Amino acid sequence: MKPFLFAFILMFGLAVMPGVANSQTAIISGKILDENDFPLPGVNVTVMGKQGGTRSGDSGQFRLQVQPGKAFALIFSHTGYKTVQRNFLLNSAEEEMITIKLEKGSTELKEVTVTDERSRREAGLVTINPKQAINIPTPGGGIESLIKVFVGSNNELTSNYTVRGGSYDENIIYVNDFEVYRPYLVRSGQQEGLSFINPEMTRSVNFYNGGFQARYGDKLSSVLDIRYKNSGKAGGSAYISLLEQGLHLEGSGFKNKFSYIIGGRHRSNRNLLGSQETKGNYVPSSADLQGLLSWQFNQKWTAELFGNLSQTKFTLVPEFSQPSASVFSPFFTSNLGMDIYFDGREQDRYKTNMAGLSLNQQAGKNLRLKWMASRFKNRESESIDITGAYLFGERSFDKSQPDFGLIVNPLGAGIFQNYARNFLNINVWNLSHKGFYDRGNHYWMWGISFDHQRVSDQIREFEFQDSAGYSLPYQPGELSLFRALHSNADFSVNRYSAYIQDNITLGDSSGVSVQAGFRLNYNDLNREILISPRAGISWKPMKWKRDIIFRGSAGLYQQPPFYREMRRYDGSINYSLQAQKSWQVSAGMDYNFSAFNQVLRLTTEAYFKSMWDVVPYDLDNVRMRYYGTNNAKAYATGIEARLFGEVVKDAESYLSVGFMRTREDISNDYYYQYNVDSLNRPVDSSLTQNGWMRRPTDRFMTVGLFFQDYLSTNRNFKVFVNAIYGSNLPYNIPNSVKYRNALKIDPYIRVDLGFSALLLDSDKTKRRSHSPFRNVENIWATLEVFNIIDRANTISYLMIKDFSNTTYAIPNRLTPRLLNLKLVARW
């Protein structure tokens, strides 16, 4: 762990310290002329990738100190003239004089992102540039991969993430104010397919990892607020890779009253899954089509129609698997392995469609109203019938022996069968209203919402295990199933919610702003009324020379149960399940400062969450199994720090470090410890109460790094690094009180690299009129190397018993090293 962290923190530090190690300089000077050989004053002269620079004087002369012994490029730019680049390599104390001539030409203005300081004042808010989603090298890609840099990860195959000790179901996602959902029956990341969010259609990303305001919904952990584009500007993009392909188009019509953006994607993880331990025929396929249509009737009324169609198919015909718990170190050697031969197949289907309509009214100069209606439909099915025969024991790793790779000392053998026929239909109808009123130092926000949710569920699944000729659990004279679920559920629930919030600015001179409000929530299933007050405060010392903002939040967060939390281990539904509740406090700062000729931003935040009426759960891959009862209390506390900065100009990088502890105390989780005599007969016992235990998401330390750079003499060649470290996680033995937290999942370490080259730049003056690329803005080619260190990360364990009834844990691994090629074109 320590060498890995040290190496990447050192790399990040060295990257932002150019020129520190060499105190000597070189000089480059000269004269800049226009096309008529007249001196050209006011020309910007900058070193590529660096901030600052110089400007030519009235006589066109310039003089600049540069770092010797390293290739660099000078950029000469002036309004109304074509930009010129020259490359140099100077020795220490060398001075070179040059003459540069600029030609008349149009200079395309670069896109400028305006940062609203109000975003720095909101607790827990991380603003993410969606343009980096196409650049970040990860198997999943997308907006969620950027989020994982800040919150950590333990599974690159899923778009799910955990925040501050919360579960996947404690995160809420909005797209243009419409709440979106994900499939519920997914057991592993391999089955998941595409995430809901299309990054090529995304305009802005606001991610709250805690302390979010009353205007956001009733969840415990985080909010992801996505805004799709609606500019009406004609354009589009297309990309193709070995894993995913996509196309998006945007434009306008009817004298710019109508605008649209439409995107389609297709993804197949066949190449990715074919490299995993379980060999067989993988047929994964996911596709979606999304669109946002906007019509402006007049200055006061605008309508938006948002739609999504998504389908995922996953078929697996497994053949064999050879998982291994092999460990080779100077301290001990373990080479336990397992050979499994399969028969049967698995077929999963997930279909989602959503339609939403919103009407925006500018009712007055300071008053804006919004009405929304939406329908979400989710249909899922699982069909599994897989039989396996296994042999496990010590595996030979001596390549000089003929039994290399084989089980040489068998410890156990058996067969198993997994069967499932599960079907789930979820329908959600929503009607809501939002209002915004600006009144001087007060900015009022309110909303009211009605949800009608209907769930129809059928579960038919069992697991049979036979070890050494005995079915488990062994009962003489009976054939028993290891696990069986048989249940039906068909219910509906009406949910009502409302909120009001005031954003207050206490005068410009004080530098203090306050956000205060509360939420109301009620549903007719458990008839529970929830009131959730929340408040946030920020203070920017106006007399300080340093650009620093202190911010904090406190509030009550309550999460009404949905289908997954309500379903117990035996498949029955707890219709009276209460909301999980917590009060949360956080405090931190946002600091902009200059260092190493760069403008950096450092944010820190400490937090504490106290939770009660908690519904405990076990986590296996991405499948969550809840207890279905409010029988626990819990807490989470930690501190996070994030550094944002352009290591080189126009190439922002992030470094995030977090420390956390989260524990839970489940009521009545006791067991008896028996003492036995020489004949293995119990003679006495003692009662043991577990008390506070690690939660399934308890990860003490996370480190995330997204780094980008380009050549010092050519910014058309770029490199991207995505690195994530997460310390160990507990792994619970299902349905076991005594062995809860008995296992640990090793630290998650992953490094992905991407190398990009510009094949076609934005200079259209050099293209012929009949060129098929005459309207293309740019084309990039990228080579991605996933898991470059080829670490076998563990996601879960397979429990196997030997002939003596001893249980062994065989790790289930994630993806190994893999290459991916990607081509992206924009116009």
Side-chain angles (χ1 to χ4, degrees), residues 547-565:
D547 183 7
I548 187 170
I549 295 177
F550 298 97
R551 59 192 190 184
S553 69
L556 186 63
Y557 295 81
Q558 305 179 89
Q559 180 171 317
F562 196 47
Y563 159 75
R564 195 200 305 268
E565 296 100 312

Side-chain angles (χ1 to χ4, degrees), residues 606-617:
Y607 59 90
F608 180 79
K609 300 162 61 174
S610 176
M611 295 165 273
W612 66 98
D613 285 343
V614 172
V615 183
Y617 61 89

